[in-house]
Amino acid sequence: MRTPFRTLAAIGATSALLIGLAACSTTASSNAGDAAEEPVRFGIALPDTGNSAQYGEYFRQGFDLALEQINADGGVQGRDVELVFEDTQADPAQAPQVAQKFIDDQSILAVIGDFGTPATSAASQLYQDAGLVQFAFSASGGAVTDPGDFVFATWVSQEFEAPRLAEFASQTGESAAVFYHDTDWGQETFGYFQGGAEEAGLAEVYSTAYDPAATDFRPLLLSARDANPEVIVLISYAADGALIANQARELGIETPIVGISSIYNQQFIELAGDAAEGVETLSYFTPESEDPAVQQFISDFTTKHDVDAPNDYAIRAYDALHIVAQAANDAADLTRQGVRDSLDSGATFASVLYGDFQFDPETRRVVDAEQTPLVIRDAAFTIK
């Protein structure tokens, strides 16, 4: 049974923070008291502005609920948690500058973020060299944690997810047209997808990389149509994937569409409109889950934010903050090194997406997890 999320940060005791600080002098006692009252601070790297700002909004929804719950349950080692937000625009050129800000601020015990593999990876080596945890909850690139032992990730690597997508698509058709981001993430994912497609017997009759910021995919779609695929596969984010689906239907292309898990987002349905109907994907989360802990989370989230269902990216942010807070709460020393060691201790962490899990000791990430096949029906993701 999963651990209730509201109790994740309520295990530690404030006395642990004061070990070694006791002294005979009144000054030392006063300093210890001051330290105990200071908040535990985590940095948040996210896109508040720019083309990916919508994802930053989703992240904030998840962080807001998690922060409220953690502090209501006693915070971390008896101290309130405080979040420090910095806007990267999910831009690989800006992410290192934000990383340096966090590194220079010695009060920051860990950094959670960024959005996407490119921006996340652009800052990873800086965090590693500085000995500051980078908790990458929204980056699925296979090499995300390669820079070293201060980098952790909770999105399952595309090494596992992309072949599974290929097998899933092969259940819909024997030949595929594949659209994938013309980015390091997209190209890497497509490479893993090709390996899975070969194993699943899925013929690749057309494939194209595309600029995720583009707005007209009609020429590519017409070329895909001419290849006569039985299924269209989207290695996309929600916004660009929705635009491809919409334009395909506008062109009269009725080929079934299957998308990677990153399209599991209400934004996809809103932007694709009627074209979203029948699109299939795989997800680690479904509102139809019978798990009481998941249903409690959904109730808490929808009540706080007045939405019908939580967004996948909000869930990932919520999980990330709870996990880092749990690690800090259990840390022998409430320091940057202590948080890292606690994350890497082999402990079991609770999450909405994966239930109870442990980080792989070699990669420091969630290496695999069960996904649920979903299909969009009546403007909602439902179990297929």
Side-chain angles (χ1 to χ4, degrees):
M1 180 176 293
R2 299 183 184 178
T3 305
F5 300 109
R6 286 189 180 276
T7 62
L8 292 180
I11 304 170
T14 57
S15 58
L17 182 65
L18 304 180
I19 292 176
L21 294 180
C24 295
S25 70
T26 303
T27 300
S29 298
S30 176
N31 289 340
D34 291 343
E37 293 176 1
E38 292 177 356
V40 173
R41 304 177 86 220
F42 301 130
I44 306 294
L46 81 173
D48 267 333
T49 59
N51 293 334
S52 299
Q54 182 69 59
Y55 295 97
E57 183 179 336
Y58 296 144
F59 290 173
R60 282 181 177 271
Q61 289 179 338
F63 289 135
D64 285 351
L65 177 59
L67 183 65
E68 178 182 288
Q69 293 178 350
I70 291 165
N71 284 337
D73 283 343
V76 166
Q77 297 195 16
R79 294 159 58 180
D80 279 349
V81 172
E82 180 180 288
L83 303 183
V84 180
F85 292 86
E86 289 287 349
D87 180 18
T88 66
Q89 296 190 350
D91 181 354
Q94 295 192 44
Q97 301 172 38
V98 167
Q100 195 61 54
K101 281 187 179 181
F102 286 137
I103 290 166
D104 293 342
D105 183 348
Q106 290 300 311
S107 72
I108 301 295
L109 294 186
V111 175
I112 305 172
D114 201 337
F115 170 68
T117 298
T120 300
S121 296
S124 296
Q125 196 61 55
L126 286 171
Y127 288 119
Q128 177 63 33
D129 292 345
L132 177 60
V133 164
Q134 181 192 40
F135 196 90
F137 68 93
S138 178
S140 62
V144 164
T145 59
D146 284 0
D149 61 353
F150 276 81
V151 185
F152 294 78
T154 48
W155 198 312
V156 174
S157 168
Q158 292 303 335
E159 180 181 358
F160 296 94
E161 189 167 310
R164 187 182 294 152
L165 174 67
E167 194 280 329
F168 182 57
S170 73
Q171 298 173 16
T172 298
E174 296 181 355
S175 59
V178 187
F179 291 74
Y180 61 96
H181 277 199
D182 191 10
T183 62
D184 289 345
W185 170 78
Q187 292 164 6
E188 178 186 61
T189 301
F190 178 58
Y192 287 131
F193 176 88
Q194 286 183 303
E198 182 176 353
E199 185 173 340
L202 178 66
E204 180 191 316
V205 295
Y206 176 83
S207 63
T208 184
Y210 69 89
D211 179 357
T215 58
D216 185 4
F217 299 101
R218 294 174 185 86
L220 301 179
L221 284 163
L222 290 173
S223 295
R225 181 195 62 186
D226 292 344
N228 197 32
E230 294 183 3
V231 60
I232 293 174
V233 177
L234 303 180
I235 297 175
S236 311
Y237 292 157
D240 47 284
L243 192 55
I244 293 172
N246 192 288
Q247 291 179 2
R249 300 308 187 229
E250 286 179 356
L251 291 171
I253 300 172
E254 298 300 326
T255 307
I257 297 174
V258 172
I260 201 163
S261 66
S262 50
I263 74 162
Y264 177 71
N265 187 327
Q266 192 63 28
Q267 183 187 34
F268 181 90
I269 294 175
E270 293 170 357
L271 295 178
D274 292 342
E277 189 74 6
V279 172
E280 298 180 4
T281 189
L282 294 166
S283 177
Y284 301 100
F285 174 82
T286 171
E288 298 175 74
S289 169
E290 297 181 357
D291 188 317
V294 173
Q295 289 303 314
Q296 183 63 56
F297 161 75
I298 292 172
S299 176
D300 292 343
F301 189 95
T302 54
T303 299
K304 180 173 179 62
H305 294 295
D306 192 25
V307 295
D308 292 334
N311 176 277
D312 182 69
Y313 290 92
I315 301 168
R316 290 182 180 278
Y318 174 91
D319 275 349
L321 182 52
H322 266 299
I323 293 163
V324 173
Q326 179 184 333
N329 201 60
D330 293 346
D333 298 305
L334 200 48
T335 61
R336 292 178 172 184
Q337 182 71 46
V339 174
R340 192 223 76 86
D341 292 347
S342 187
L343 283 167
D344 201 29
S345 66
T348 297
F349 296 94
S351 72
V352 172
L353 288 180
Y354 309 124
D356 292 347
F357 75 94
Q358 296 175 319
F359 286 105
D360 180 85
E362 295 184 3
T363 65
R364 299 170 308 286
R365 70 184 306 160
V366 179
V367 295
D368 202 2
E370 182 180 350
Q371 289 181 291
T372 300
L374 303 178
V375 60
I376 298 174
R377 297 292 184 208
D378 297 324
F381 288 97
T382 61
I383 295 176
K384 182 179 176 182

